[in-house]
Amino acid sequence: MSRENKSLKGKVVVLTGGVGFLGQYFSRLLREVGVVVIVTDVAKEADVIMDVTDQDSIDQGLKEIRQEQGKIDVVINNAAIDPKFDIGAAQNKYEFVNYPEEAMQQSVNVNLLGTWRVCKTAIKIMCEQGFGNIVNVASFYGVTPPRQEIYPTGTEKPVDYPVTKAGVIMLSRHIASQFGRDGIRCNVLAPGGVVREQAKDFQEKYSEHTSLGRMSTPEEVSDALLFLVSDNSRGMTGEVLVVDAGWRSR
Ligand SMILES: NC(=O)c1ccc[n+]([C@@H]2O[C@H](COP(=O)([O-])OP(=O)(O)OC[C@H]3O[C@@H](n4cnc5c(N)ncnc54)[C@H](O)[C@@H]3O)[C@@H](O)[C@H]2O)c1
């Protein structure tokens, strides 16, 4: 499938949390179609180290990128923490009623406030430029609650992830509504569970609840991101693009 698109060539795109699993697929695809991608992350492999919990780090990172590149066309807020059940994350062993406040605070700080902080600085720059496009990566769990029965016995999908991702969606609608006339768009990419190294049993249980009978792939999530980054989505703002193989919530 050709992904050629003239509007993408030479666009300067800042990707947060770009060293992670999906981030690597995103940056690879965007580069393939001629986008200048600046990968930011707290991880040392990043082009620019930028910690989304630290406003100074964000201000400095985006300022440097703008000076070097001359503009910032798109910011993709992809950085997040997601205590995945399958790598033995301590959070997943807590029941809802015992969930530690510290874990909730940490998710709010990275997933929700992190996105908000980056948007604040990006919007200042985009208002000066008179154009800009923000894509916030949420999750289908920001739209619909997890089905706890698909998770291994003794674990739960913790509450902090869906709650913070739902917050990212409303933050994006707020921005879209307030800054559209300044030439700024803001949409949400909401992936479903992406197939990786999950246990076969989990993959099967998950897949029973999707219309396509499988999990999502990183490539199809990346294709949807490409659409939101490109001018093909120029008529859209404040929208949530869900790519979840047709998850059936109830
Ligand atoms: N993988 C999935 O199945 C899935 C499904 C739905 C939504 N998502 C969303 O997609 C995005 C990417 O997910 P992923 O699976 O690649 O996760 P990941 O954990 O592999 O990558 C997240 C990246 O964010 C970085 N990060 C964490 N804290 C940071 C901070 N304070 N400042 C800057 N960077 C920070 C990490 O270093 C990491 O590189 C996330 O927003 C996630 O919620 C993923």
Side-chain angles (χ1 to χ4, degrees):
M1 190 194 344
S2 171
R3 294 172 174 87
E4 285 296 305
N5 180 322
K6 266 195 272 174
S7 80
L8 287 163
K9 292 228 161 57
K11 265 199 204 301
V12 175
V13 174
V14 178
L15 173 64
T16 73
V19 171
F21 169 58
L22 285 179
Q24 292 187 40
Y25 283 89
F26 293 165
S27 58
R28 197 177 316 134
L29 178 60
L30 289 165
R31 283 178 178 142
E32 267 170 34
V33 296
V35 168
V36 178
V37 184
I38 317 295
V39 169
T40 73
D41 204 298
V42 281
K44 62 178 184 339
E45 295 86 350
D47 302 322
V48 173
I49 300 293
M50 204 167 92
D51 180 349
V52 302
T53 66
D54 176 352
Q55 190 72 58
D56 289 343
S57 161
I58 296 165
D59 290 353
Q60 199 184 321
L62 292 186
K63 190 173 154 203
E64 267 172 32
I65 294 167
R66 188 189 184 193
Q67 271 169 0
E68 266 173 35
Q69 303 296 332
K71 61 173 181 170
I72 295 177
D73 292 293
V74 184
V75 170
I76 304 168
N77 279 300
N78 169 70
I81 47 172
D82 174 8
K84 293 190 173 61
F85 69 93
D86 52 347
I87 52 172
Q91 288 93 325
N92 302 318
K93 307 218 165 63
Y94 289 107
E95 294 175 342
F96 179 90
V97 291
N98 298 321
Y99 200 64
E101 180 155 345
E102 194 185 275
M104 176 60 96
Q105 298 270 16
Q106 200 193 359
S107 288
V108 170
N109 197 19
V110 177
N111 299 3
L112 179 56
L113 298 185
T115 303
W116 168 71
R117 289 184 193 100
V118 174
C119 286
K120 277 205 305 186
T121 310
I123 286 168
K124 266 186 223 157
I125 293 172
M126 289 172 175
C127 280
E128 284 170 23
Q129 296 178 156
F131 62 86
N133 179 9
I134 297 173
V135 181
N136 291 330
V137 181
S139 165
F140 72 134
Y141 280 162
V143 181
T144 188
R147 279 179 177 270
Q148 297 295 4
E149 67 269 26
I150 69 171
Y151 291 93
T153 311
T155 70
E156 293 190 2
K157 184 73 186 176
V159 62
D160 50 351
Y161 188 74
V163 165
T164 53
K165 291 299 188 175
V168 166
I169 291 174
M170 189 46 77
L171 169 69
S172 308
R173 291 193 170 132
H174 185 104
I175 290 168
S177 157
Q178 189 166 349
F179 295 102
R181 287 158 196 233
D182 296 295
I184 300 170
R185 298 197 287 126
C186 182
N187 289 295
V188 176
L189 177 69
V194 178
V195 66
R196 200 176 173 183
E197 292 152 350
Q198 299 92 344
K200 199 155 182 292
D201 177 54
F202 173 79
Q203 289 193 24
E204 282 170 9
K205 281 192 186 146
Y206 181 99
S207 301
E208 277 171 21
H209 296 290
T210 66
S211 301
L212 297 182
R214 60 172 177 78
M215 298 187 76
S216 298
T217 70
E219 290 83 2
E220 59 204 15
V221 173
S222 305
D223 276 340
L225 176 75
L226 202 61
F227 170 66
L228 291 178
V229 167
S230 82
D231 293 353
N232 284 359
S233 60
R234 65 194 176 282
M236 281 171 61
T237 194
E239 286 302 328
V240 181
L241 186 55
V242 181
V243 187
D244 65 357
W247 176 260
R248 296 184 294 219
S249 53
R250 284 286 159 237

